Amino acid sequence: MSGDRVWQYGAGSVGKAKHTGHGDIVVGGKTVGATGAGPSVEALLRAIEHIRPHLDENDRAEVDAVAESIAEETSIERRRSLVRRVSGVAALAGEAGLPVIAAATALLGG
């Protein structure tokens, strides 16, 4: 007796899918689980661009790495963690960081 082992991880998992023809196996669309970069993400990225001149070299590098990851991230929980990281740097930037904090709050639904 043989059996298949199926592990499912993350949003959009569909379990075992058998393909007997040609073409893609599509369940719920090709972007299942992807959240995309919506208007809230775009607003945050614009705010991050405006704060960059107010940061030192290390903070700028941190914010740049996080901004790139936020734009590409499809996991809601991972994106939330990244937004919190960039918000922490923005908070330390004082008044210049307020637009980033406002955009982050809007993105996180708070």
Side-chain angles (χ1 to χ4, degrees), residues 24-42:
D24 294 336
I25 296 175
V26 179
V27 178
K30 290 188 178 188
T31 57
V32 172
T35 58
S40 296
V41 172
E42 295 301 321

Side-chain angles (χ1 to χ4, degrees), residues 5-95:
R5 290 185 185 204
V6 178
W7 289 273
Q8 293 180 231
Y9 299 98
S13 296
V14 295
K16 181 179 176 184
K18 282 190 162 185
H19 191 278
T20 58
H22 61 279
D24 294 336
I25 296 175
V26 179
V27 178
K30 290 188 178 188
T31 57
V32 172
T35 58
S40 296
V41 172
E42 295 301 321
L44 177 60
L45 295 177
R46 281 192 306 275
I48 289 170
E49 278 301 310
H50 289 112
I51 196 177
R52 290 183 80 253
H54 301 280
L55 302 175
D56 66 24
E57 188 176 321
N58 292 330
D59 287 342
R60 195 174 313 123
E62 172 77 11
V63 166
D64 288 346
V66 171
E68 185 176 316
S69 297
I70 287 172
E72 297 172 357
E73 188 57 57
T74 58
S75 163
I76 293 170
E77 288 305 314
R78 177 76 177 126
R79 182 177 283 167
R80 183 177 188 83
S81 173
L82 293 167
V83 170
R84 286 180 175 175
R85 272 177 58 194
V86 78
S87 295
V89 174
L92 296 175
E95 198 171 318

